[in-house]
Amino acid sequence: MNFDYTEEQSMLRDSIAKWAAGQYDFEKRREALKSEDGWKKNWATFAELGLLAAPLPEDAGGLGGGPIDIAVVMEEFGKALVVEPYVSTVVIGAGALLAAGDDAQKAAHLEAIAGGERIIAFAQAEPKSRWALNDVSTTAKKDGAGYVLNGQKAVVLGATQADYLLVSARTAGGQRDEQGVSLFLVPKNAKGVSTRDYPTMDGARAAEVYLENVSVGAEALLGAADGALPLIERLVDEANAAYNHEAVGAMRMMTSSTQEYAKTRKQFGRAIAEFQVLQHRMVDMFMHTEESVSMALLATLKLGESDAERAKAVSASKVSIGRAGRFIGQAAVQIHGGMGVTDEMRIGHYFKRVTMLDSTFGNADYHLKRYTALSAKAA
Amino acid sequence: MNLDFSPEEIAFRDEVRAFIEQNYPAHLKGKAMREDLSRDEFLAWHKILGKKGWSAPAWPAQYGGTGWTATQRYIWLEENARAETIAPLPFSVSMVGPVIYTFGTEEQKQRFLPGILSGEVWWCQGYSEPGAGSDLASLKTKAVREGDYYIVNGQKTWTTLGQYADWGFFLVRTDSEAKPQEGISFLLIDMKSPGVSVRPIKLLDGGHEVNDVFLENVKVPVDQRIYEENKGWTCAKFLLAHERAGIAGVARSKRNVEKLKAIAKAEIGDDGGPLIESPDFRAKLAQLEIDLSALEMTELRTLAREQAGKGPGPESSLLKIRGTEIQQRLTELTLEAVGNYAQPFPRGLGDNEFSIGPDYAGPAAPIYFNWRKASIYGGSNEIQRNIIAKMVLGL
């Protein structure tokens, strides 16, 4: 048993922290979010720092790291409130290519991802699917060697910045059938693809994606037709495992900033940190943070286990971390008083980000149900 | 003891329901939870009620109240919540009005109460300061007497909708030597006075609801002081107790439970059926309704005591705590109910508002974030518990 980072992982962490402190402070972040292409400079830096290459294999231009390297990156992103589409590109996009792509597909995308020249968004959810991964109404109909796609994808995170969309579509079966789902890598500029872009609650960007008679060649299909659902399940588990570490980074910041604030804010002639009711609340924040660290690690360390083991660990972590994020976020705002609900202070933005993360790929309730179902299956 | 409405009360309910249906402005339907209304939109219903004589049912009849019983007032609030009307301005009718008719001079009553009742004059609150939040009595805004005037200097904050205000009621320090609570006076200040400036504070939901108010050598006639000099804390406490009782918001929470149920009927749950049929969501809704019933009965008991001539006392802290906890719980469940369509936030960066996903999804996240204020304002819920511990339990 060993919970230590390697030297390389520690260096990776330090380099992100240094960049965030200098180039991504709260004001610079705000400016970047406001501007249309503020993210581009950040993305180029991610490439320079090796964050995009970190988890990719060396023969694909990567650095040969794995989930722990992603965990390191994500926790620092959580602390710095980075909202660029890292997970959809590196964890989901690259992950899908590595798992199911043929040599030509890998060659076409992986090096570009590592070099910062390819951004992928995961066009999975649909207006009526909520978080059910098997609920797919978007269709892909065979047309000669290729396919024609039709449908609407909902709240596609990072679609604004993406140049490729990883689309789940139904090639066979009914709306909620487990069989019959396929994955396609579709250029966003393909004819018939249109998007409606908007900001999300955390200041990131997302879009509704409309696919109208989008013709793609056979090279767009990733893996075998009809059988993509187990891969989608795995990719989403990996994405959630990564997001967990981001949530942990945000929780650490909320917990420590709240303590700092309580030590300096004076009311009734003393620091409010001296009031026992607030001390206990901050202790609870601390305990929730520590448990979240544990659960995030548990999920990440089990990503390589069987499908059932992995899924249970990830759902368990999403339950703990979703609830912890809510508690910590609300308590942090409460202890900051009126300042906590202002746009001007960082604290509320962490609260928004953990709220966003909870509602991404299944909230705590969804994962409690999934965990229960998985346990029942195993019993 | 019973909970039934008498035939007279049922007739009253039908009367007010019909009045609301016939008179509430059509273009303001469904906008009650919005924080981004214009001044005219906020005041439209208040003005209609002013003409009818119904803008301040809780006031004693001699000052312009309706003379209704507690039950009638309860019915009135229920019917307004049912129709989702925009309430008459609380800073005016629930806060400064009662202070003026309780502590003001005859002349002050005649000068200020009519504008409050009619909705012509917008009042705002100047209580909190950057250094005086929960510890309100430590406020530093200073008023120095010069002849028939006070010269006021300082900064107030969290002034809700101060951008629309004609007048403000302010707590100021008139004696720096005395104990904190004993050197405070209650002043009414014309917001157009030279030296008053209002600066917006942007909140997490992207809206402009609160403000900083700066007072720089503002000249305030002494006849705009309510009650005695250095006795303003008495008015302040009285006002806070009124504010707390009002913010339980039972009738509106009941209405919002119905809205939540409608959302849960429209949304698909995780197993493909309507969310409302999901056992765990139903259990959460049931718990919320039960908590709301307990709050409602408690509020009715408080109203009955008030009717018997006992004004809202420290017990109103209970209503504030539980009322805001339930309001916040409602915003949480609504957020959960709308699923991933809670994520789009077109308001966040100043874009024109447009709807993504179902219409009810858009406000879920902004309201969830905005409503964190409820356990902070009007004296944080921690402070309310201190008040109960000290004033009710004698601990």
Side-chain angles (χ1 to χ4, degrees), chain B residues 5 48 51 71 127 152 221 235 237 245 272 280 289 317 335 350:
Chain B
F5 290 152
I48 292 166
K51 287 204 182 87
T71 311
Y127 266 41
V152 184
C235 307
K237 278 194 303 184
D280 50 336
E289 285 187 286
S317 291
L335 187 82

Side-chain angles (χ1 to χ4, degrees), chain A residues 177-199:
Chain A
D177 285 354
E178 302 212 336
Q179 271 298 316
V181 180
S182 306
L183 275 177
F184 296 88
L185 202 48
V186 180
K188 200 174 79 175
N189 62 10
K191 193 162 172 272
V193 177
S194 59
T195 61
R196 188 177 183 190
D197 295 13
Y198 46 81

Side-chain angles (χ1 to χ4, degrees), chain A residues 130 154-155 176 196 199-201 208 265 267-268 281 326 330 334 338-339 341 343 352 356 359-360 365, chain B residues 130-131 133-135 158 202-204 267-268 270 284 332 336-337 341 343 345 354 368 372 375 382:
Chain A
R130 206 174 176 88
V155 203
R176 290 177 72 89
R196 188 177 183 190
T200 49
M201 61 166 88
E208 300 296 287
R265 170 74 175 169
Q267 290 284 271
F268 304 102
R281 191 91 49 92
R326 177 183 285 183
Q330 293 182 353
Q334 183 71 17
M339 292 308 291
V341 291
D343 185 64
K352 283 179 156 184
M356 177 79 181
S359 61
T360 300
D365 282 2
Chain B
S134 290
D135 183 10
W158 312 130
K202 193 176 163 195
L203 295 185
L204 276 184
E267 278 290 316
I268 311 288
D270 299 323
K284 287 184 181 186
E332 286 174 3
E336 289 173 15
Y341 268 126
Q343 295 184 336
F345 204 75
F354 57 96
Y368 172 66
R372 300 314 307 168
S375 49
E382 288 81 5

Side-chain angles (χ1 to χ4, degrees), chain B residues 221-242:
Chain B
V222 169
D223 67 5
Q224 288 169 210
R225 187 193 70 228
I226 301 291
Y227 204 42
E228 295 167 37
E229 190 172 86
N230 298 330
K231 291 278 170 68
W233 192 246
T234 307
C235 307
K237 278 194 303 184
F238 170 88
L239 181 147
L240 283 171
H242 269 264

Side-chain angles (χ1 to χ4, degrees), chain B residues 327-349:
Chain B
Q327 290 158 22
Q328 291 180 335
R329 184 67 182 144
L330 261 164
T331 69
E332 286 174 3
L333 290 189
T334 305
L335 187 82
E336 289 173 15
V338 299
N340 51 345
Y341 268 126
Q343 295 184 336
F345 204 75
R347 207 175 150 181
L349 292 172

Side-chain angles (χ1 to χ4, degrees), chain A residues 6-329:
Chain A
T6 63
E7 201 176 319
E8 288 79 12
Q9 287 162 349
S10 299
M11 280 165 59
L12 183 66
R13 183 190 57 200
D14 296 345
S15 66
I16 304 169
K18 196 174 152 204
W19 162 76
Q23 303 301 314
Y24 202 77
D25 66 17
F26 195 47
E27 281 315 307
K28 289 192 179 115
R29 172 184 185 270
R30 196 192 289 275
E31 287 310 309
L33 290 185
K34 263 192 211 156
S35 70
E36 277 301 305
D37 55 2
W39 60 273
K40 280 187 181 157
K41 207 177 121 205
N42 297 327
W43 201 259
T45 309
F46 295 170
E48 269 167 47
L49 293 177
L51 312 187
L52 303 169
L56 302 181
E58 285 166 14
D59 60 13
L63 301 173
I68 305 288
D69 298 79
I70 292 175
V72 169
V73 173
M74 293 306 291
E75 183 166 336
E76 292 309 308
F77 279 5
K79 290 180 190 166
L81 279 168
V82 172
V83 293
E84 272 73 15
Y86 182 83
V87 169
S88 70
T89 301
V90 173
V91 179
I92 299 176
L97 282 157
L98 284 168
D102 58 31
D103 289 345
Q105 288 169 324
K106 287 182 192 170
H109 298 288
L110 286 177
E111 273 189 50
I113 289 173
E117 284 137 29
R118 177 81 73 252
I119 293 182
I120 298 175
F122 190 25
Q124 176 266 317
E126 300 186 353
K128 291 283 179 192
S129 74
R130 206 174 176 88
W131 293 300
L133 301 174
N134 58 306
D135 191 327
V136 179
S137 300
T138 296
T139 56
K141 293 235 160 68
K142 196 91 177 114
D143 180 37
Y147 292 86
V148 175
L149 278 68
N150 276 288
Q152 182 187 344
K153 292 294 180 176
V155 203
V156 180
L157 305 175
T160 313
Q161 298 97 324
D163 36 29
Y164 272 81
L165 302 168
L166 180 64
V167 181
S168 60
R170 192 158 280 290
T171 37
Q175 187 184 332
R176 290 177 72 89
D177 285 354
E178 302 212 336
Q179 271 298 316
V181 180
S182 306
L183 275 177
F184 296 88
L185 202 48
V186 180
K188 200 174 79 175
N189 62 10
K191 193 162 172 272
V193 177
S194 59
T195 61
R196 188 177 183 190
D197 295 13
Y198 46 81
T200 49
M201 61 166 88
D202 54 350
R205 291 260 160 185
E208 300 296 287
V209 173
Y210 305 91
L211 304 159
E212 271 179 272
N213 297 318
V214 178
S215 267
V216 292
E219 76 285 355
L221 177 69
L222 214 50
D226 297 348
L229 191 61
L231 174 59
I232 293 173
E233 293 261 359
R234 197 183 101 193
L235 293 170
V236 167
D237 278 339
E238 288 170 353
N240 274 329
Y243 281 135
N244 280 340
H245 292 281
E246 185 186 345
V248 161
M251 287 180 201
R252 285 193 198 276
M253 292 301 284
M254 287 192 278
T255 302
S256 61
S257 316
T258 302
Q259 290 162 15
E260 281 310 306
Y261 183 81
K263 281 187 215 163
T264 49
R265 170 74 175 169
K266 286 206 167 68
Q267 290 284 271
F268 304 102
R270 50 184 166 153
I272 61 171
E274 289 176 37
F275 292 101
Q276 195 175 44
V277 67
L278 298 190
Q279 288 175 352
H280 286 187
R281 191 91 49 92
M282 288 186 277
V283 169
D284 288 339
M285 291 170 75
F286 164 78
M287 295 200 298
H288 274 297
T289 303
E290 286 303 315
E291 284 180 340
S292 297
V293 172
S294 303
M295 291 306 275
L297 283 173
L298 177 76
T300 293
L301 293 171
K302 293 222 171 195
L303 285 178
E305 305 281 326
S306 70
D307 285 356
E309 277 283 296
R310 179 203 71 222
K312 260 182 84 173
V314 170
S315 280
S317 67
K318 278 285 283 182
V319 173
S320 297
I321 289 171
R323 304 237 153 109
R326 177 183 285 183
F327 176 84
I328 293 169

